[in-house]
Amino acid sequence: MTARVLVVDDQALVRGSFRVLLETTSDLVVVGEAANGREAVHLVPELDPDVVLMDVRMPEMDGIEATRRITEISEARVLILTTYDLDEYVYGALRVGASGFVLKDTRPADLIAAVRVVAAGEALLAPSVTQRLIRAFVSVPETLPASLNGVTAREREILLLVARGLSNAEIAERLHVGVTTTKTHVSRLLTKLGARDRAQLVIAAYESGLIRPAR
């Protein structure tokens, strides 16, 4: 199945480079480009992309506000592009619905893999980077801690493992249950916590105090 990608960056050369790279594959197609967040929000309903490859710092409307609006009006998944892995803007983007982030100097093959991961409905958050990101910005939450009311003991256990970066297969192996069972628990967590994907489950785990950043 071919994944449709919208590339958003204020530099034409960067957008063109990403288009050329992504279109070297048979399963990814760039359906459009936008020079800022406002253009991206306007184009999403028209182009119906599966993935929006989104720069953060842009004129007129930045990537965070654009991500918030896009995730409100569509099922498109947003993959944030950033220059620095501890950029506070990244955390803000994850809060409003981004499915993950990659650095702009990521190797071409890894960027293609990242787009594929997000297109498949997974979150792209390397555990080591997630630890540093959360440690830097969750210490002073912008909102009250997330509530885990209604989450069962088993679901809390699985949420903890999701926050530590384990995949469904790894969680299933750790807990000696089937992968299908694990997927069911994760699906229920998404519903109960009002989370869009695993990226927001990670944030919920930290903001609820279920897991603390390593010091």
Side-chain angles (χ1 to χ4, degrees):
M1 181 177 176
T2 301
R4 300 163 57 82
V5 184
L6 172 63
V7 178
V8 187
D9 195 289
D10 61 337
Q11 298 183 46
L13 182 60
V14 172
R15 295 197 307 272
S17 297
F18 284 138
R19 175 186 282 275
V20 171
L21 172 63
L22 295 175
E23 292 192 337
T24 61
T25 69
S26 61
D27 59 335
L28 300 175
V29 59
V30 176
V31 295
E33 300 178 17
N36 57 59
R38 192 176 304 282
E39 286 185 16
V41 173
H42 177 73
L43 287 173
V44 163
E46 175 186 342
L47 300 177
D48 191 28
D50 300 299
V51 177
V52 179
L53 193 58
M54 177 80 75
D55 190 19
V56 175
R57 303 183 184 187
M58 296 178 292
E60 294 193 40
M61 182 185 293
D62 64 25
I64 297 177
E65 178 61 18
T67 296
R68 184 185 68 77
R69 296 193 187 190
I70 287 170
T71 55
E72 286 178 351
I73 65 173
S74 80
E75 295 300 315
R77 294 182 177 273
V78 179
L79 179 60
I80 295 294
L81 285 163
T82 181
T83 305
Y84 305 105
D85 62 5
L86 282 181
D87 191 334
E88 63 183 292
Y89 292 103
V90 173
Y91 189 66
L94 294 176
R95 278 184 179 273
V96 297
S99 293
F101 67 94
V102 291
L103 299 179
K104 280 193 172 181
D105 61 359
T106 295
R107 295 184 307 168
D110 291 339
L111 177 63
I112 290 172
V115 173
R116 286 172 173 158
V117 167
V118 172
E122 296 294 329
L124 191 76
L125 291 170
S128 60
V129 176
T130 300
Q131 280 281 340
R132 300 202 307 275
L133 186 70
I134 299 293
R135 181 167 62 247
F137 302 112
V138 83
S139 57
V140 184
E142 296 176 6
T143 59
L144 294 175
S147 171
L148 296 184
N149 291 340
V151 175
T152 67
R154 174 60 98 180
E155 288 167 349
R156 284 172 182 254
E157 190 174 12
I158 289 175
L159 179 59
L160 181 63
L161 295 176
V162 168
R164 288 176 174 166
L166 274 66
S167 67
N168 285 344
E170 291 168 334
I171 293 172
E173 182 178 0
R174 177 77 64 88
L175 299 181
H176 306 291
V177 298
V179 174
T180 300
T181 299
T182 300
K183 288 181 178 178
T184 298
H185 283 303
V186 171
S187 178
R188 288 174 179 167
L189 281 167
L190 291 170
T191 299
K192 289 182 178 182
L193 298 179
R196 183 178 176 88
D197 56 25
R198 294 172 82 97
Q200 292 193 317
L201 288 183
V202 171
I203 290 177
Y206 279 95
E207 292 189 339
S208 67
L210 181 64
I211 187 172
R212 296 292 183 183
R215 297 292 180 181

